[in-house]
Amino acid sequence: MDEGSSRIRRRVSVRKRNRPSLEILLAAPTADELKPGDDEKAEEEEEEEMGAGSPRRKTVGVQPVENNESEEDMFGDYDSFAENSLIAQVDDLEQKYMQLPENKKHDTDLATEDLCSEDIRHNQLSITTIGSFTELKTDEHTKNQSGHEDISIEPGADLLYELPSSQVLYFENLQNSSNELGNQSTKERDWNSSSHKTVSEELPQNSIEQPQQNDEFSSKVRTSSDVNRRKSLKDHLKSAMTVNAKAQMPIFSRTKQLKETHLSEEINVAKKAIESSSDDVGPFYSLPSKVRDLYVQFKGIEKLYEWQHTCLTLTSVQERKNLIYSLPTSGGKTLVAEILMLQELLCRRKDVLMILPYVAIVQEKISGLSSFGIELGFFVEEYAGSKGKFPPIKRREKKSLYIATIEKGHGLVNSLIETGRISSLGLVVVDEKNLKLHMIAEGSRGAILEMTLAKILYTSKTTQIIGMSATLNNVEDLQEFLQAEYYTSQFRPVELKEYLKINDSIYEVDSKAENGMTFSRLLNYKYSDALKKMDPDHLVALVTEVIPNNSCLVFCPTKKNCENVAEMICKFLSKDYLKHREKEKQEVIKNLKSISSGNLCPVLKRTIPLGVAYHHSGLMSDERKLLEEAYSTGVLCLLTCTSTLAAGVNLPARRVILRAPYVAKEFLKRSQYKQMIGRAGRAGIDSVGESILILQEKDKQQALELISRPLENCYSHLVQEFTKGIQTLFLSLIGLKIATHLGDIYHFMSGTLFGVQQKILLKEKSLLEITVESLRYLTEKGLLQKDTILTENSEEWFQHSFHITKLGRASFKGTIDLAYCDILYRDLQKGLEGLVLESLLHLIYLTTPYDMASQRDPDWMIYFKQFNQLSPAEQNVAALVGVSENYIGKKASGQAIKKTVDKNIVNRLYLSFVLYALLKETSIWSVSEKFNMPRGYIQSLLTAAATFSCCVLHFCEELEEFWVYKALLVELTKKLTYCVKAELIPLMEVTGVLEGRAKQLYNAGYKSLAHLANANPEVLIKTIDHLSRRQAKQIVSSAKMLLHEKAEALQGEVEELLRLPADFP
C-alpha cells in the first residue's frame, strides 16, 4: 500500500456495522488534513458509545500493532468466527469437500458459492479503486464445466459489510500486486476461482475467495501444487487478516462524517417541519442548529430581536406568501431575509436570488455568505459587472444563491425564463441596502427592477418575493403590485435623537412642540478669530465632543467639500490626537501606499495621522475598503463623506453631522435625510445615537418641513424611462414569448406597478394607447415584426401578434439600451470595413459606453497631446470614426470650427484614450495624473467599459455577420475586467481581492485559486501585511466557494459527455 493510502483514517468495528465503501475510504482526509484534536474526540465518542451499550470497538491508533503470541486471540472476540457465521459455514462445506472425489470438485465449489451468495445477497459487493487493476480471468474450462454464470452485482453497495476493517487493506493492496498476480500460473488461477475486475466493473457474487495479500503469502500459494496441501479457507482468511492487522493501521476518525450526518438529519427534520402546518420552528427557525452556531461564530449574533422572531413566525411567511417589511435603518432587516434564504436553500432545495444596488455591496455580501455556503453545502454566485453566466450553470446536487446587481438580476431572470427553469427559483429577495425597495421610484434602475419583479410574478407562481425598505410610504400600491403582505415596526436597537443647529444654538427635534423643535443647549467652545473664519459652522466643536474615543460621520454636499472639511478640522485638532493609536494609523498609511504603487493622496497623508479621512467616489475601491476597515476598527474616528456612503456599506457612528441640507445643489429629500441619520448609533456599543443637521437661517423653514413631512411616495418610472423602460420590457416579453399578442402584453402591463398607478400617472393617454404606441415604435425601429398589417384602430391590435427580429434579439440578449442599439450596429458594421488590429484602441472604442460620453467634456490640450503620441495606425482609428487631428488642434487652440463633428463621438474617443492608456500602464494613479481625472472616476469608467464589452459580446453572438468580434471581445472583456498582469487574474477572480491585495498574495507564493482555497487564515495574517483576521477568513471562504463551483461545473460537463443520448437509436 502506498504512502497516501497508509495515512487513511479508519475505525475497526464489528460485523453488523454498516461500513463505508472503499471509494469513500480512499477519499477520506489524511491525518495532516484533519484537526489535531480529532483523534482524541473520536476516541471519546467511541468510549461513550460503548458505555451506552454499543458493541463498537475502540479506535485503533496509528502506532504499530504489538506482536501477539496467538493469532487466534487477535480475532477471538470477532463474531465472524461464531458457529453461525459465514466463515464457519464455509468451513463446514470445505470439510465435506475434502472428503469428496476429485472429479466432484467443481460441483462442490458451486455449492459453496451458492451458500455464500445466500449470506451476502442483501449486501452485494462492488470494488472501486484508484488506477487500473490487471484483470484476472477465471479459467474458462472450469467455468464451462460448472455451467455457472457470473451474477451481475449492482454498483454502490457497501463493500465491507460483514468483513473486519483490516480486510479493507486487503483490497487496497490489489493494485500493488496486480502485475504479479497477472503472471501467476494456471494453478494459482484455479485457486482464485473468481475474477477480480478493473475499475468501474463489478465483483460477482461467486467471487468469495480472496486474492493473495502479499508476496510472502503468494509465494506459499505458488509452491502448493497439490490441492490437498492447501490451507482451508478459514485459515487462509485468518492468515491474511493477521498480516493486515500487524500492518501499521491508520485511524479513520468518524467525527467529521458524524457531524455531516447529523446536519443532514437536521435538514431533513427542518424540511418536514416547514412542509407541515405545525407551529414548531425547529432548532433554529426550521433550520439546523448548526446555522445558529454559524451566526454566533461568523457574526456574533446570539439572539434575534423580538420583531425578527415575530416576522419569521408570521402566518404569511410560513405559508410562503410574498412579503414587504419596513423598519428604520439598522433595525436588522437583512438577518430575517438571510434566514428565509437559508430555509429555501437547505430545506426546500430551491435556488435563491438576492438583488442589491451596487457592485461593491454585492461583493461585500458574497464575502459574508461564502463561509455559510462552505459549511452548509450551497453555492454563492456573483452576478455583477462582467461576472455571471447566462443561463446559470445547472447544478447537479447543491443549490445556488445568486447575488446580483439590478441589471444582472434582470438578465438572470430572463435567462431562466428562456430556458424554462424559472420554477427552480424559490425565493427572490430585494435588499436595497438602505435604498431598499423604493429604488423602484428612482430612474432607469428602478424601471429595470420593476420589470424583473413583474416577470417573476407573471411566469412563476411558486417563487416567493421578499422586499425590504427602510423608507417606504405608499405601501398599498406596492402591496397590490407584489401581491404581498406587509409588516412594519419602529424598532431601533439604539435610540436616535435628532438635533438641529442654528448659529450657536442646538435644538432637539420634537414632533409635539409647536414649531417641531425645542431648545437643547448652547455650544460652549472657545473659538479664536482665525478659527471662526475657517469654521463658521462650529464643526470642530461638534466633532471634538465625541472623537477620538467615539466615532463621527460628517456628510458633505460635494466631494470637494469632503476633502476641504477634513483638512480644515485637522488644522485645529490638538497634537494629542496624533498619539491615539499612532502605530495603527501609520500602518494604514503604509497599506495605502502599498496598494497604490507607492502613491498616497496628499490630503490623506495629512489627515490620517490625526484619525481623520475623507470618503467619496473619487477614491479607488481599494482605498475606500481600507479606510472603511480602519474606521470600523476605530483606528480612524472621523470620516467626511458624501451621501453615497449612507446608501452603501454599513458604517455606523456615535454622532452623525449633516454639513448642510443639500446633496450637490438639490435640497435634501426626506428619504435621503432618513438614510443619513440612520447611521447614528452603534448596536451593542452605544446606548443612544445623535444626528445634528447644521442650518443657515435661510434654510430653517424648509428644513422644519423636511423633518416633519411624511416620506415621499414611490412611483413607477416604467414609462418615463422610455427606451430603458417600457420599450425594453415589450421587446423582452416578445423575445421570451411571455406575451406575443397585444392583448397578452396589455394584460401583463396591468400587473406592473405602472399598471396599478396608471390613474395617477397617466393624464393624457391611456395604458392601451401607450402600449400600441410603443409597439409601433419598436416595429419601425426594426426590432419587432408584426405578423399581419395593422390598422389605425387600436382595438383591432388585439388580433395581431409580433415576433422579434435578429437585431431585436441581439439587443435584448445584450441588454443594450434601445436608444443606442442601432448606433452600435452601425459602428460594428463600419468597423468590419477596416478594423485596426495593430493595437487594442479600435476595439476599446467600440466597447466604450455611450452613456458616459456625455458625462465629461475632454481637456483639449491633453486630448491633442495624447493624439500626437499615437502611432500612425492608432491615429488612423480616429480618422475612421470621424475625428481628425486638425479638429482636435483647433479646439485646443480655441479656434473657430466650421465643420460639424458629432460631440458624442469626440467625447467617446477621448474616453477610449483613457482606457487604452490604462490597459497599457495598468496604473490608475499615472493615468489619473496624465488625464487630470479623479482616480475613482477612471475606475468607474473601467468597470462600465468591462460591463458594456460583455454586453456587446452577447450582442454579436446573436448576429452572424459579427462573428469576427466574438473571440476578440472575449479577451478584451477579461482585460477590462481585471486590468492587471495575466498572472494576477486567477487571484482577482476571488471576491474582495483587488489589484493591491492580489500582488501581495502572489509575492507571498499564493499564485492560484487552489493556493488560496487551501490557505490557513492564520498563516495569511502573518504572511500578508495589513490583513485582518476577518478579511483572511473571507478570502479563503470565497476562494473555496469559487473552487467548488468550478469543480462542480467540470463534473457536470463530464456527466453530460458520458450520458447516453436521449435520441440514441
Side-chain angles (χ1 to χ4, degrees):
M1 187 164 51
D2 61 12
E3 183 180 351
S5 298
S6 69
R7 296 164 62 193
I8 298 172
R9 308 183 132 216
R10 186 179 297 109
R11 292 169 183 252
V12 176
S13 42
V14 295
R15 170 188 174 202
K16 293 301 180 182
R17 174 179 171 189
N18 287 334
R19 302 178 184 278
S21 69
L22 183 59
E23 181 180 5
I24 295 172
L25 291 172
L26 288 170
T30 64
D32 292 339
E33 292 170 334
L34 292 175
K35 295 181 180 178
D38 282 352
D39 300 347
E40 291 80 4
K41 291 179 181 176
E43 291 182 5
E44 289 172 7
E45 289 177 9
E46 286 296 302
E47 290 171 0
E48 289 173 5
E49 289 169 352
M50 292 182 68
S54 171
R56 296 179 183 175
R57 304 173 72 183
K58 286 188 179 181
T59 305
V60 176
V62 180
Q63 295 80 5
V65 179
E66 296 180 4
N67 292 330
N68 290 304
E69 295 180 0
S70 172
E71 293 182 358
E72 287 290 337
D73 292 340
M74 295 181 67
F75 307 99
D77 61 346
Y78 192 79
D79 66 351
S80 289
F81 296 94
E83 290 183 359
N84 61 347
S85 71
L86 163 67
I87 296 181
Q89 294 176 48
V90 172
D91 197 37
D92 291 340
L93 281 175
E94 191 174 33
Q95 295 301 322
K96 295 178 183 178
Y97 154 80
M98 298 297 289
Q99 300 170 7
L100 291 174
E102 188 67 22
N103 58 3
K104 294 184 180 180
K105 172 183 182 297
H106 299 300
D107 292 340
T108 307
D109 286 347
L110 179 57
T112 304
E113 292 174 83
D114 289 342
L115 177 58
C116 295
S117 299
E118 183 72 21
D119 195 63
I120 64 170
R121 186 162 292 146
H122 299 296
N123 284 275
Q124 296 170 322
L125 309 179
S126 65
I127 297 179
T128 305
T129 59
I130 298 174
S132 281
F133 288 172
T134 304
E135 185 173 358
L136 305 179
K137 297 183 178 180
T138 306
D139 183 66
E140 296 295 334
H141 177 69
T142 303
K143 180 176 177 182
N144 292 338
Q145 279 186 335
S146 67
H148 184 69
E149 296 182 359
D150 287 352
I151 300 173
S152 179
I153 306 301
E154 295 177 8
D158 200 346
L159 171 65
L160 306 179
Y161 189 84
E162 303 278 56
L163 290 175
S165 291
S166 58
Q167 284 304 96
V168 177
L169 299 177
Y170 192 59
F171 289 107
E172 290 169 346
N173 280 339
L174 284 174
Q175 183 178 6
N176 297 333
S177 60
S178 59
N179 292 332
E180 294 178 9
L181 290 172
N183 296 326
Q184 288 177 5
S185 65
T186 305
K187 291 181 180 180
E188 182 181 5
R189 292 199 302 271
D190 289 340
W191 169 254
N192 294 289
S193 61
S194 54
S195 62
H196 301 271
K197 301 193 176 182
T198 59
V199 174
S200 303
E201 294 185 356
E202 300 169 8
L203 180 67
Q205 282 186 343
N206 60 353
S207 299
I208 294 182
E209 296 166 346
Q210 306 293 339
Q212 283 71 15
Q213 166 61 23
N214 50 39
D215 292 341
E216 180 182 354
F217 189 75
S218 298
S219 62
K220 292 180 181 179
V221 174
R222 282 193 295 268
T223 61
S224 302
S225 58
D226 189 349
V227 71
N228 293 325
R229 293 169 55 197
R230 71 181 180 88
K231 292 184 178 181
S232 69
L233 178 60
K234 175 180 176 181
D235 291 339
H236 171 64
L237 287 177
K238 289 182 66 174
S239 176
M241 289 189 287
T242 301
V243 173
N244 287 338
K246 288 181 178 180
Q248 187 170 352
M249 182 69 70
I251 300 174
F252 176 59
S253 174
R254 298 269 295 176
T255 306
K256 184 176 180 181
Q257 186 175 345
L258 289 172
K259 287 181 179 179
E260 291 175 354
T261 303
H262 179 67
L263 176 62
S264 177
E265 289 173 355
E266 282 199 341
I267 288 176
N268 290 333
V269 171
K271 183 177 180 181
K272 292 177 181 177
I274 281 181
E275 291 172 351
S276 69
S277 57
S278 170
D279 293 333
D280 179 18
V281 294
F284 185 70
Y285 297 97
S286 300
L287 287 167
S289 55
K290 184 174 182 179
V291 176
R292 178 180 55 212
D293 298 338
L294 291 175
Y295 270 107
V296 175
Q297 179 184 345
F298 294 144
K299 299 191 175 184
I301 299 173
E302 298 181 359
K303 187 178 179 181
L304 270 64
Y305 296 130
E306 186 61 33
W307 82 264
Q308 291 170 331
H309 172 79
T310 303
C311 187
L312 286 168
T313 53
L314 289 172
T315 304
S316 57
V317 172
Q318 294 176 349
E319 293 176 355
R320 295 193 76 252
K321 293 181 179 178
N322 296 342
L323 176 71
I324 302 168
Y325 60 99
S326 176
L327 282 96
T329 301
S330 302
K333 295 177 292 297
T334 305
L335 178 59
V336 171
E338 287 181 4
I339 291 173
L340 293 174
M341 290 192 298
L342 292 175
Q343 287 179 356
E344 202 70 29
L345 290 161
L346 302 179
C347 303
R348 297 191 182 93
R349 306 294 296 163
K350 290 291 188 79
D351 296 327
V352 174
L353 169 62
M354 187 178 201
I355 301 176
L356 297 163
Y358 306 121
V359 174
I361 302 176
V362 168
Q363 293 176 343
E364 180 189 25
K365 183 62 68 176
I366 285 176
S367 296
L369 291 177
S370 289
S371 301
F372 286 83
I374 294 293
E375 294 290 336
L376 299 172
F378 61 86
F379 292 114
V380 182
E381 300 185 39
E382 178 180 352
Y383 279 78
S386 60
K387 293 184 179 180
K389 187 175 180 62
F390 300 111
I393 297 171
K394 193 172 184 179
R395 302 296 181 184
R396 298 179 307 145
E397 296 176 0
K398 296 181 180 180
K399 297 303 172 183
S400 292
L401 168 58
Y402 309 114
I403 303 182
T405 56
I406 292 172
E407 293 80 7
K408 284 288 184 175
H410 184 221
L412 179 67
V413 168
N414 283 343
S415 67
L416 290 174
I417 294 172
E418 186 176 27
T419 54
R421 291 167 51 192
I422 189 64
S423 60
S424 67
L425 200 61
L427 176 66
V428 176
V429 174
V430 185
D431 180 355
E432 286 303 303
K433 195 69 178 179
N434 303 314
L435 283 178
K436 303 297 189 266
L437 197 61
H438 76 275
M439 186 175 269
I440 287 178
E442 297 186 1
S444 61
R445 307 193 79 214
I448 295 171
L449 180 58
E450 182 179 348
M451 286 189 278
T452 305
L453 298 176
K455 288 176 184 175
I456 293 168
L457 288 165
Y458 194 84
T459 59
S460 176
K461 302 303 180 186
T462 60
T463 303
Q464 184 183 19
I465 296 176
I466 302 292
M468 287 177 273
S469 179
T471 51
L472 199 60
N473 193 25
N474 56 332
V475 71
E476 297 83 6
D477 291 348
L478 285 168
Q479 275 186 268
E480 185 177 349
F481 163 46
L482 294 178
Q483 304 159 30
E485 302 290 321
Y486 180 61
Y487 175 82
T488 186
S489 171
Q490 294 304 311
F491 171 82
R492 265 187 66 94
V494 179
E495 182 188 358
L496 173 62
K497 292 186 176 181
E498 300 176 44
Y499 296 96
L500 304 175
K501 178 193 165 297
I502 305 172
N503 298 323
D504 291 341
S505 301
I506 294 180
Y507 301 87
E508 183 173 0
V509 174
D510 185 359
S511 58
K512 298 177 182 178
E514 185 177 349
N515 59 352
M517 61 181 186
T518 56
F519 178 79
S520 177
R521 63 188 175 96
L522 282 172
L523 268 179
N524 184 20
Y525 190 86
K526 294 182 180 179
Y527 267 72
S528 64
D529 292 338
L531 183 54
K532 285 180 181 178
K533 291 180 181 179
M534 293 287 292
D535 183 25
D537 295 324
H538 307 99
L539 273 173
V540 174
L542 293 173
V543 300
T544 51
E545 289 179 348
V546 290
I547 66 169
N549 295 321
N550 290 295
S551 57
C552 183
L553 292 175
V554 179
F555 285 101
C556 303
T558 65
K559 288 181 280 189
K560 188 62 180 174
N561 192 232
C562 287
E563 298 177 32
N564 292 339
V565 168
E567 284 207 278
M568 182 273 294
I569 290 173
C570 287
K571 285 180 181 178
F572 297 100
L573 291 178
S574 71
K575 293 183 179 180
D576 293 337
Y577 285 87
L578 293 169
K579 299 176 183 178
H580 181 74
R581 304 182 74 164
E582 183 177 4
K583 290 183 179 179
E584 292 165 280
K585 287 184 285 193
Q586 289 303 317
E587 286 294 307
V588 172
I589 291 175
K590 286 180 183 178
N591 207 2
L592 282 170
K593 287 182 177 180
S594 70
I595 63 174
S596 303
S597 304
N599 297 289
L600 179 65
C601 169
V603 176
L604 292 176
K605 185 178 180 179
R606 291 189 290 268
T607 62
I608 288 177
L610 291 157
V612 179
Y614 68 87
H615 183 291
H616 58 61
S617 60
L619 291 169
M620 295 187 299
S621 54
D622 287 40
E623 294 173 302
R624 290 198 299 271
K625 275 182 175 291
L626 220 161
L627 294 175
E628 289 161 7
E629 184 73 20
Y631 176 83
S632 297
T633 56
V635 177
L636 298 178
C637 55
L638 173 64
L639 287 182
T640 59
C641 51
T642 55
S643 60
T644 52
L645 184 138
V649 292
N650 188 18
L651 295 176
R654 173 71 170 78
R655 175 176 289 180
V656 170
I657 300 171
L658 279 65
R659 172 75 175 75
Y662 292 92
V663 174
K665 296 181 180 180
E666 296 290 327
F667 201 84
L668 272 181
K669 296 178 181 177
R670 173 73 171 168
S671 58
Q672 292 172 324
Y673 172 73
K674 280 290 188 183
Q675 287 165 17
M676 293 182 194
I677 68 171
R679 294 298 184 201
R682 298 163 297 175
I685 300 175
D686 299 326
S687 58
V688 65
E690 301 171 343
S691 70
I692 301 175
L693 173 59
I694 299 175
L695 298 173
Q696 307 299 324
E697 283 292 345
K698 64 183 180 64
D699 298 321
K700 179 180 176 181
Q701 191 57 42
Q702 200 171 356
L704 289 173
E705 294 175 5
L706 168 72
I707 61 175
S708 60
R709 75 164 72 109
L711 295 168
E712 294 85 5
N713 285 335
C714 175
Y715 293 116
S716 170
H717 277 233
L718 207 54
V719 171
Q720 284 86 335
E721 297 291 331
F722 210 54
T723 57
K724 288 186 179 181
I726 194 169
Q727 291 179 358
T728 298
L729 174 60
F730 288 173
L731 189 66
S732 64
L733 289 179
I734 295 168
L736 294 171
K737 298 181 180 178
I738 296 173
T740 55
H741 292 75
L742 179 63
D744 295 334
I745 295 171
Y746 178 76
H747 176 66
F748 181 95
M749 283 297 297
S750 300
T752 62
L753 180 62
F754 179 78
V756 171
Q757 298 177 332
Q758 58 179 302
K759 293 181 180 179
I760 303 171
L761 300 176
L762 297 178
K763 304 296 183 183
E764 299 176 357
K765 298 179 180 178
S766 68
L767 177 58
L768 179 60
E769 289 173 327
I770 288 178
T771 302
V772 171
E773 185 180 304
S774 298
L775 289 171
R776 182 179 286 115
Y777 173 84
L778 291 171
T779 305
E780 292 171 355
K781 204 171 177 68
L783 302 174
L784 290 179
Q785 281 187 353
K786 50 187 180 295
D787 291 335
T788 55
I789 299 174
L790 306 179
T791 64
E792 293 299 322
N793 186 351
S794 62
E795 292 182 1
E796 295 184 17
W797 278 64
F798 282 93
Q799 307 300 320
H800 307 295
S801 63
F802 300 86
H803 69 267
I804 196 166
T805 64
K806 287 185 177 180
L807 178 60
R809 180 165 294 280
S811 302
F812 150 60
K813 283 294 191 72
T815 61
I816 305 295
D817 186 342
L818 300 187
Y820 304 118
C821 64
D822 50 351
I823 302 173
L824 175 62
Y825 184 86
R826 287 198 301 268
D827 285 346
L828 292 170
Q829 201 168 39
K830 189 176 181 181
L832 290 177
E833 298 172 6
L835 188 62
V836 178
L837 294 177
E838 291 183 33
S839 73
L840 290 172
L841 182 60
H842 201 169
L843 280 174
I844 290 172
Y845 172 78
L846 293 172
T847 56
T848 301
Y850 290 97
D851 55 351
M852 293 196 76
S854 59
Q855 295 178 10
R856 181 176 291 270
D857 290 327
D859 183 315
W860 293 105
M861 288 302 297
I862 295 175
Y863 204 161
F864 185 70
K865 181 180 178 181
Q866 293 300 317
F867 187 94
N868 286 324
Q869 291 177 359
L870 298 175
S871 67
E874 291 166 345
Q875 290 184 357
N876 186 39
V877 173
L880 286 171
V881 302
V883 181
S884 65
E885 180 182 5
N886 183 47
Y887 175 83
I888 298 173
K890 286 185 176 181
K891 292 291 287 185
S893 61
Q895 299 180 34
I897 300 173
K898 296 180 181 179
K899 185 179 179 180
T900 303
V901 178
D902 190 330
K903 181 182 176 182
N904 289 324
I905 293 176
V906 176
N907 290 8
R908 194 163 171 241
L909 182 64
Y910 184 65
L911 294 181
S912 67
F913 282 6
V914 177
L915 291 168
Y916 184 48
L918 194 55
L919 289 185
K920 286 196 297 183
E921 300 179 25
T922 71
S923 171
I924 290 181
W925 277 86
S926 61
V927 175
S928 173
E929 292 174 4
K930 184 179 292 186
F931 288 89
N932 192 26
M933 288 181 173
R935 302 183 300 283
Y937 175 80
I938 292 176
Q939 195 169 50
S940 299
L941 173 64
L942 182 65
T943 302
T947 304
F948 188 61
S949 177
C950 188
C951 293
V952 175
L953 172 60
H954 292 312
F955 181 88
C956 292
E957 286 174 341
E958 297 297 322
L959 297 168
E960 294 178 2
E961 58 266 39
F962 295 145
W963 64 269
V964 71
Y965 287 115
K966 295 178 187 177
L968 297 171
L969 289 175
V970 167
E971 289 303 311
L972 180 62
T973 301
K974 187 180 290 187
K975 287 179 180 291
L976 290 170
T977 299
Y978 300 108
C979 194
V980 292
K981 294 180 180 178
E983 61 264 23
L984 297 181
I985 290 178
L987 300 178
M988 291 187 65
E989 288 180 349
V990 178
T991 302
V993 176
L994 300 176
E995 183 181 1
R997 186 69 74 202
K999 287 179 179 178
Q1000 288 180 312
L1001 292 166
Y1002 188 85
N1003 293 333
Y1006 298 95
K1007 299 183 178 182
S1008 70
L1009 183 62
H1011 286 161
L1012 282 184
N1014 291 286
N1016 185 334
E1018 297 301 323
V1019 176
L1020 277 182
I1021 295 168
K1022 297 174 182 177
T1023 308
I1024 307 300
D1025 292 336
H1026 322 298
L1027 183 68
S1028 69
R1029 180 170 279 97
R1030 182 178 66 86
Q1031 289 174 322
K1033 289 181 177 179
Q1034 286 180 347
I1035 287 173
V1036 172
S1037 295
S1038 297
K1040 283 182 179 178
M1041 178 60 66
L1042 189 57
L1043 195 64
H1044 287 181
E1045 287 175 9
K1046 291 189 173 185
E1048 174 81 6
L1050 289 173
Q1051 289 170 355
E1053 288 181 21
V1054 170
E1055 288 189 0
E1056 188 65 30
L1057 284 171
L1058 297 177
R1059 186 177 293 118
L1060 187 69
D1063 57 350
F1064 184 74

